[in-house]
Amino acid sequence: MDKNKLALTPPMGWNSWDCYGAAVNEEQLLGNAEYMAKNLKKYGWQYIVCDIQWYEPKAKDNDYNNFTELCMDGYSRLIPAVNRFPSSANGVGFKNIADKIHAMGLKFGIHIMRGVPRQAVHRNTKILGSDKTARQIAHHFSVCPWNTDMYGIDWRREGAQEYYDSIFAMYAEWGIDFVKVDDICNTEFRKDAPYSAKEEIEMIRHAIDKTGRDIVLSLSPGPAQLEVADHLCEFANMWRLTGDFWDSWNQLYAMFERCEKWAPYVSEGCWPDCDMLPLGRLSMNGTCHGGQGRYTQFTKDEQITLMTLWSVFRSPLMFGGEMRDNDEFTLSLMTNPEVMAVNQHSHDGKQAYRDNDTVIWTAVSEDEKPLLAVFNISDTDRDIEIDLTKYELDGEYTLRDLWQRADGEKVNGNFNCRVNSHGAKLYKLI
């Protein structure tokens, strides 16, 4: 199975973490799916992703309940908490939710932590397809530093691959299209280590391939390391470039350097991931990086910069806000077909220039027209002079402003553009 036949363009969707943290429920998943089907599907948005702790009955906000009871079947596999996902009763798991989302013309994804539940290890429960138990495949000191649910798996042990085979077989039965695996992207890749993220990623890849189902594999959290880029390209579809990305200018500013470094690795089926879009209404269940139920702390100009950089770099677009509360401006960011086309169908995106105040990216559109993204990363509005000849753009062009969806002036050689503080312009030269 060629994983690069999946995700031929950067995946676009919604993830529950930024608005519901660890406590998303069935109504919220399906409500956002209905919104996407009605308002966004025609622009390319298609994934609804249920993030962490869907197997925890007591989850209520963005915090984790340490060493809490989890919902699990007899083969060490976590299953949805029925009190939060009523349609999962009687052992059907997420199948009913997946079926409803598929009926809307969308795709359904889930978050998982790498490894085997500590609960399964302590109870020494069975592994489907093996005579080994959870205790025999767990690595006792391979633990997540921020979540207590799991032990990592010792890839050298009999039963380790069978465990991953069993959980992905179950996900395939449910109809899962996308799996975000956490606590795996920025762990060590040392070949001499008893535990290695490299080996666990490969086990997951083999388990997905064995199902025969098209499942996009996303790895978190970042920062991913450039020295293992070839391995990530071989085994995953997406991998995070950063830790959790929130609505802070400092975090957005730092993404320019990450995108510059990872741009050479962007290709079909291989998408370096700038993380979710913390836009719209966030933190519905508690105060997380800002007030509860707030709208994004990014200014409108910063939101334009965010969407412009993610698009010209071709990051996956995973919206984080409660979509049913989108205002007109937020919806406009998600439904501009000319900007979405840059994200989905441009090529050769790269940083072409940077000084203390200005960043310029170039790319080529699907119809082979030059693209130019101009970012003002300073704290004041500025006129920025562009010398097109520096980017091998000779001759006369009409500037098409993709955010305004309007043709502008004809230019030849040099032109000036006014860019707001922390703002951006995105042009197509025609």
Side-chain angles (χ1 to χ4, degrees):
M1 185 175 181
D2 184 356
K3 64 95 181 170
N4 288 337
K5 298 296 185 183
L6 301 178
L8 296 178
T9 61
M12 299 169 61
W14 174 83
N15 180 292
S16 61
W17 173 253
D18 285 357
C19 49
Y20 292 110
V24 69
N25 63 35
E26 183 165 339
E27 183 279 329
Q28 292 155 355
L29 284 180
L30 293 176
N32 278 276
E34 290 166 358
Y35 179 94
M36 182 177 288
K38 178 180 179 182
N39 298 287
L40 302 172
K41 182 173 68 172
K42 63 184 177 182
Y43 297 96
W45 301 84
Q46 60 177 333
Y47 289 96
I48 296 291
V49 181
C50 179
D51 211 86
I52 196 168
Q53 305 302 122
W54 43 264
Y55 37 80
E56 184 193 336
K58 296 180 181 178
K60 61 183 184 303
D61 51 32
N62 288 75
D63 292 327
Y64 304 121
N65 296 314
N66 292 335
F67 304 106
T68 191
E69 187 83 5
L70 308 177
C71 296
M72 188 177 76
D73 72 4
Y75 291 104
S76 310
R77 302 179 297 184
L78 296 175
I79 56 177
V82 175
N83 64 317
R84 293 167 53 198
F85 305 98
S87 72
S88 69
N90 302 314
V92 301
F94 275 127
K95 184 173 184 352
N96 289 330
I97 291 177
D99 286 348
K100 288 180 180 179
I101 289 173
H102 292 155
M104 299 178 201
L106 304 175
K107 296 181 178 181
F108 182 49
I110 59 173
H111 170 291
I112 67 170
M113 298 292 291
R114 69 170 176 91
V116 62
R118 292 192 192 193
Q119 177 176 291
V121 175
H122 299 160
R123 295 177 185 177
N124 203 26
T125 49
K126 297 178 180 179
I127 294 171
L128 186 64
S130 173
D131 61 0
K132 306 302 179 184
T133 65
R135 190 172 298 169
Q136 290 173 294
I137 68 169
H139 205 298
H140 62 287
F141 65 77
S142 176
V143 295
C144 176
W146 44 265
N147 183 283
T148 61
D149 292 342
M150 314 293 276
Y151 285 113
I153 290 177
D154 188 337
W155 57 272
R156 302 167 301 177
R157 301 286 184 89
E158 291 183 28
Q161 183 65 58
E162 286 81 358
Y163 175 74
Y164 272 123
D165 290 348
S166 74
I167 64 170
F168 278 92
M170 180 175 68
Y171 303 155
E173 290 174 3
W174 291 349
I176 300 300
D177 307 295
F178 180 107
V179 176
K180 173 184 173 182
V181 184
D182 212 339
D183 189 38
I184 199 167
C185 189
N186 64 353
T187 48
E188 288 194 63
F189 276 68
R190 287 171 44 208
K191 295 190 178 191
D192 60 336
Y195 161 71
S196 168
K198 172 180 179 292
E199 307 293 348
E200 207 154 353
I201 290 169
E202 291 175 15
M203 284 196 293
I204 291 168
R205 175 80 267 153
H206 296 323
I208 291 174
D209 292 347
K210 189 173 181 179
T211 70
R213 182 172 178 80
D214 291 346
I215 298 176
V216 172
L217 176 58
S218 171
L219 304 180
S220 286
Q225 302 302 307
L226 274 169
E227 57 264 32
V228 297
D230 290 342
H231 186 269
L232 294 169
C233 287
E234 182 177 358
F235 291 98
N237 298 108
M238 295 166 49
W239 52 91
R240 285 263 297 277
L241 305 189
T242 179
D244 284 3
F245 178 83
W246 281 95
D247 44 338
S248 154
W249 170 249
N250 288 338
Q251 289 195 39
L252 178 52
Y253 183 91
M255 290 307 298
F256 283 95
E257 182 178 356
R258 297 184 191 279
C259 291
E260 178 193 12
K261 291 179 179 178
W262 280 96
Y265 297 95
V266 172
S267 63
E268 289 185 351
C270 301
W271 306 111
D273 179 14
C274 294
D275 198 19
M276 285 180 281
L277 305 168
L279 304 176
R281 196 171 184 195
L282 307 169
S283 298
M284 304 290 285
N285 288 329
T287 57
C288 186
H289 299 272
Q292 181 172 356
R294 73 183 188 280
Y295 279 85
T296 184
Q297 296 165 142
F298 282 133
T299 67
K300 288 185 176 180
D301 284 305
E302 289 167 351
Q303 293 177 63
I304 293 290
T305 288
L306 170 63
M307 292 297 293
T308 301
L309 180 60
W310 267 234
S311 293
V312 74
F313 173 68
R314 303 195 71 197
S315 171
L317 300 178
M318 288 290 167
F319 191 82
E322 168 49 82
M323 293 190 292
R324 293 172 291 182
D325 291 340
N326 280 352
D327 58 19
E328 184 177 345
F329 177 77
T330 305
L331 182 59
S332 74
L333 296 173
M334 307 172 73
T335 56
N336 184 316
E338 298 185 43
V339 176
M340 295 300 100
V342 174
N343 177 269
Q344 293 290 288
H345 301 298
S346 66
H347 60 90
D348 293 331
K350 61 182 179 293
Q351 181 177 295
Y353 174 82
R354 179 169 183 171
D355 65 15
N356 291 331
D357 298 320
T358 305
V359 178
I360 294 176
W361 275 65
T362 59
V364 182
S365 69
E366 185 179 21
D367 59 353
E368 300 302 314
K369 302 296 185 184
L371 296 166
L372 193 70
V374 183
F375 301 93
N376 176 10
I377 56 176
S378 76
D379 295 332
T380 58
D381 300 349
R382 295 171 49 242
D383 290 312
I384 297 176
E385 183 175 356
I386 307 295
D387 182 355
L388 293 176
T389 62
K390 289 183 177 179
Y391 314 113
E392 300 180 359
L393 298 173
D394 299 315
E396 186 175 79
Y397 296 96
T398 297
L399 288 180
R400 173 76 177 176
D401 187 322
L402 300 189
W403 280 113
Q404 297 298 320
R405 300 180 63 188
D407 289 344
E409 62 181 311
K410 291 188 180 296
V411 297
N412 191 337
N414 293 56
F415 72 96
N416 284 288
C417 60
R418 183 77 171 175
V419 187
N420 293 341
S421 169
H422 297 185
K425 297 286 188 179
L426 182 58
Y427 298 112
K428 185 176 182 178
L429 279 59
I430 56 178

